[in-house]
Amino acid sequence: MYLTSPRIRAFNAVMETGSFSAAATKLGLSQPAITQAVREIEQAAKVTLFQRQGRSLAQTALCAELYRFTAEAERLAGEALRVLEQHANLETGKFRIGIGNSMPGMALIREFRRRLPGVQVQVELGSWATILKAVVEQRVDVGVLPNVPNDGRFERKVCLKQDVVAIVSEESPLARSTQTSCTELLRYPLIFRTQSSSTQKVVDQGFRSAKLTPVPMMVLDTRDGVYEAAANGLGVGFMWEFGSSREDKIRKIRVIEFEQGHPEHVFHLSGRTSPLITAFEAIQL
């Protein structure tokens, strides 16, 4: 019983900040309170956790081993509290969603809001890499992205499948086509996304499969920028087929060499769940 929650928090804070005074500041407690909590662990277990050398503090060999478990215990306690709070506030809680494409993310959010109108939804929009990182760092509860890696970090659910298509203005000669090739596209100015974009990964792979090395006329870091550039006749852009509810001023054209049937996933960290995550995963488009 000597590893009580207050003592664990005090010990973890000392490990993470490197001193009793910094730990006290972090937790909003007095330094004597932090010192006493750590001393109580040492006395009860008959161990030495920190060597006091004047104003400096040195960890003993036991510290790192103990911290592996106490840090995880504190994290799990925080997760448990968050789950309880979300369950208690299922009608009035907060839910954080990260989306890479406006659609189908916004369609899922619309249905989620219809079912749980009292829940406040916070949305982070970003590139594929940005939203993946947001889920890993727990800045968001769930993400909606295409081609989420199946590497054990995430629990995934496919909400739809879609392709990357070329987009051109209504006045472009390509606008009369429903299908084109990478070779044909080289005749036009190309508008690319940055390398962190899932769209661009598909585009790059398509040109590689055709053994072509295109040089884009323009590289933009947002899907809206690509859409507007293509709509204004600046060249051929690329987007996910259902990546936007907008259809004005552009035509979508399939590209023969682009891999088809990419899954769009609703996903979250493995082992992390809550009533709100379950409710969001249950939505069918």
Side-chain angles (χ1 to χ4, degrees), residues 34-230:
I34 298 295
T35 303
Q36 179 63 26
V38 173
R39 183 176 291 119
E40 286 171 352
I41 298 175
E42 292 178 320
Q43 291 174 346
K46 297 181 175 56
V47 296
T48 298
L49 297 174
F50 298 98
Q51 297 283 357
R52 289 84 167 172
Q53 300 171 346
R55 292 187 175 182
S56 63
L57 195 67
Q59 301 174 9
T60 62
L62 178 61
C63 272
E65 184 178 2
L66 179 62
Y67 179 67
R68 284 195 303 115
F69 298 102
T70 56
E72 180 66 6
E74 188 173 2
R75 186 190 69 79
L76 291 174
E79 283 292 295
L81 179 60
R82 187 185 62 79
V83 168
L84 289 174
E85 288 174 343
Q86 282 198 341
H87 193 278
N89 297 315
L90 192 58
E91 299 298 324
T92 58
K94 292 182 181 180
F95 193 54
R96 303 165 300 169
I97 305 168
I99 59 177
N101 295 309
S102 297
M103 296 292 285
M106 289 300 178
L108 291 167
I109 292 170
R110 178 188 61 207
E111 179 60 20
F112 181 81
R113 291 279 297 125
R114 187 188 69 79
R115 298 183 184 187
L116 297 170
V119 175
Q120 181 188 49
V121 174
Q122 298 176 346
V123 179
E124 179 174 342
L125 283 162
S127 69
W128 187 90
T130 299
I131 298 306
L132 199 75
K133 185 178 181 182
V135 172
V136 170
E137 295 179 350
Q138 301 183 43
R139 296 200 311 270
V140 297
D141 299 300
V142 299
V144 184
L145 285 176
N147 297 330
V148 173
N150 184 22
D151 57 12
R153 290 179 295 167
F154 310 111
E155 294 181 26
R156 313 175 303 167
K157 178 184 177 183
V158 176
C159 59
L160 59 79
K161 292 188 176 183
Q162 59 177 326
D163 305 330
V164 170
V165 295
I167 58 172
V168 297
S169 72
E170 295 172 329
E171 288 75 31
S172 169
L174 275 174
R176 296 186 294 273
S177 304
T178 58
Q179 183 171 279
T180 188
S181 68
C182 288
T183 301
E184 175 70 12
L185 289 176
L186 287 183
R187 297 174 52 197
Y188 300 88
L190 299 177
I191 305 165
F192 280 5
R193 289 284 302 279
T194 51
Q195 291 302 309
S196 62
S197 160
S198 61
T199 305
Q200 192 58 43
K201 295 180 191 299
V202 175
V203 173
D204 289 342
Q205 179 57 43
F207 279 101
R208 280 196 299 270
S209 69
K211 296 181 171 53
L212 298 171
T213 308
V215 178
M217 177 272 296
M218 184 184 300
V219 177
L220 298 171
D221 62 356
T222 67
R223 67 193 64 81
D224 289 339
V226 172
Y227 190 104
E228 292 298 333

Side-chain angles (χ1 to χ4, degrees), residues 241-258:
E241 181 181 7
F242 306 121
S244 173
S245 58
R246 290 183 58 185
E247 299 285 345
D248 57 303
K249 299 183 179 180
I250 61 122
R251 293 289 182 269
K252 298 177 181 178
I253 307 164
R254 296 194 178 276
V255 182
I256 295 170
E257 292 88 351
F258 288 2

